[in-house]
Amino acid sequence: MSHQPVDFVAWEKTEQVEANEYNPNSVAPPEMKLLITSIEEDGYTMPVVTSPEECIYRIVDGFHRRQAERCSQNISRDTFGRLPVTFIRESGRDLDSRMASTVRHNRARGSHDIDLMSNIVRELVSMGRSPAWISKHVGMDMDEILRLKQLTGLAALFADKDFSLGKEE
């Protein structure tokens, strides 16, 4: 079996891990907040993918995981100001190869299926989780939670709400 980058994960000082100039990926503030919460609660579950350069590690994938460490004192304290990094293969270290790798990493993540997300919200509600809990831990705003609840079509999801406008005689 050939060498796999994930075979070796190193903890490098965050100051030595630098962004690239070509990453087309951006993360909206709610998702960035969720990423920080995810790392604070679950820890780093994926290393930052880098390409070693002279005295630094250039990010190929994981810029926002690095930003989370820089934005959160909790994460920085827990990791001693370091990031888990892995290194792409030698053959992928030229700029064009790194650029292609960055785009592949970004595009390979996929998207969430609405029906499956509705089912997750339904399950969390049935477990007694409040919309506030779902919002914080799953990274949805209240309108999104409401829309996903409506998609399930289950009146039970709204059993705790009073929708009457007044008393009927």
Side-chain angles (χ1 to χ4, degrees):
M1 179 162 76
S2 65
H3 165 75
Q4 298 294 319
V6 76
D7 288 344
F8 179 76
V9 176
W11 285 90
E12 299 295 341
K13 292 180 181 177
T14 189
E15 298 85 25
Q16 291 181 273
V17 181
E18 293 189 8
N20 62 53
E21 292 78 35
Y22 50 82
N23 186 1
N25 191 23
S26 64
V27 173
E31 283 75 21
M32 188 65 195
K33 184 177 176 186
L34 181 61
L35 176 61
I36 291 169
T37 299
S38 173
I39 295 171
E40 286 176 344
E41 292 192 12
D42 303 326
Y44 278 99
T45 58
M46 292 174 44
V48 175
V49 180
T50 67
S51 177
E53 293 181 7
E54 206 172 301
C55 302
I56 64 157
Y57 303 97
R58 183 72 59 198
I59 295 174
V60 173
D61 181 62
F63 171 78
H64 297 98
R65 293 188 293 279
R66 173 180 158 263
Q67 287 303 100
E69 187 277 334
R70 289 189 166 184
C71 292
S72 169
Q73 291 179 352
N74 293 332
I75 296 171
S76 186
R77 182 191 65 239
D78 288 349
T79 63
F80 302 99
R82 295 179 179 266
L83 288 169
V85 299
T86 191
F87 314 98
I88 60 174
R89 295 176 175 166
E90 291 280 336
S91 62
R93 293 187 181 168
D94 293 333
L95 179 59
D96 58 346
S97 295
R98 290 193 331 258
M99 291 175 86
S101 183
T102 296
V103 172
R104 280 194 304 270
H105 278 85
N106 288 342
R107 295 195 68 182
R109 293 198 216 301
S111 60
H112 289 133
D113 180 278
I114 300 246
D115 290 333
L116 295 175
M117 288 303 297
S118 295
N119 290 338
I120 289 171
V121 168
R122 180 179 44 82
E123 287 295 319
L124 290 171
V125 169
S126 71
M127 292 176 193
R129 293 300 185 185
S130 68
W133 188 95
I134 294 169
S135 176
K136 177 182 178 191
H137 293 277
V138 182
M140 296 180 184
D141 62 38
M142 294 300 191
D143 288 338
E144 184 178 12
I145 294 168
L146 178 61
R147 284 192 305 275
L148 291 173
K149 279 180 163 185
Q150 290 169 335
L151 284 174
T152 63
L154 297 177
L157 292 176
F158 297 95
D160 62 335
K161 302 292 180 211
D162 181 12
F163 291 102
S164 62
L165 296 174
K167 284 186 156 181
E168 288 189 346
E169 304 283 328

